[in-house]
Amino acid sequence: MALLITACSSSAPSHLPIPLLLPAQAIGSALENTAYSARRTAVKSHVTEHFATLDAEIIAGGGPLLTQAYDLARIKSSDRAQLAKTLAQDPNLRVDAEALTVSLMVHGP
């Protein structure tokens, strides 16, 4: 009981969450996970369907399907040029559809 009371105190830093906020945090986490999963599914579907063309566009420095993949992964416009260079220079980041999906998703929000 003393631990719960201490956890609610705001006078000192604590690693313990405020118990009354746990349900709201759980709901927030579930919603974030659902949104991420939906975005990842859309990116994976696009990459799987157009993998060969995406690979060619990466090597060429860009193209409409690569732009669409960036849009689906919600990669900032300012980050796209550097990511394109990185993907072109390291074939391991695009060795298959799963690797390319992960490479795109880690650069999104």
Side-chain angles (χ1 to χ4, degrees), residues 1-103:
M1 186 65 153
L3 184 59
L4 288 176
I5 293 170
T6 304
C8 293
S9 171
S10 62
S11 64
S14 174
H15 296 350
L16 298 173
I18 298 172
L20 297 175
L21 295 180
L22 289 176
Q25 290 172 345
I27 292 169
S29 263
L31 293 174
E32 286 177 16
N33 289 342
T34 300
Y36 176 85
S37 181
R39 186 166 48 92
R40 190 185 194 293
T41 298
V43 171
K44 175 83 182 250
S45 177
H46 178 74
V47 168
T48 300
E49 184 177 345
H50 304 289
F51 181 72
T53 305
L54 286 167
D55 193 49
E57 288 183 3
I58 288 167
I59 293 167
L65 291 175
L66 184 57
T67 299
Q68 187 177 359
Y70 289 157
D71 291 342
L72 289 170
R74 296 190 340 212
I75 297 169
K76 292 185 222 175
S77 297
S78 59
D79 295 342
R80 293 179 182 192
Q82 181 57 44
L83 178 56
K85 287 179 188 176
T86 301
L87 290 173
Q89 292 172 351
D90 188 349
N92 291 323
L93 297 177
R94 56 186 167 78
V95 70
D96 57 24
E98 181 63 24
L100 183 54
T101 300
V102 170
S103 297

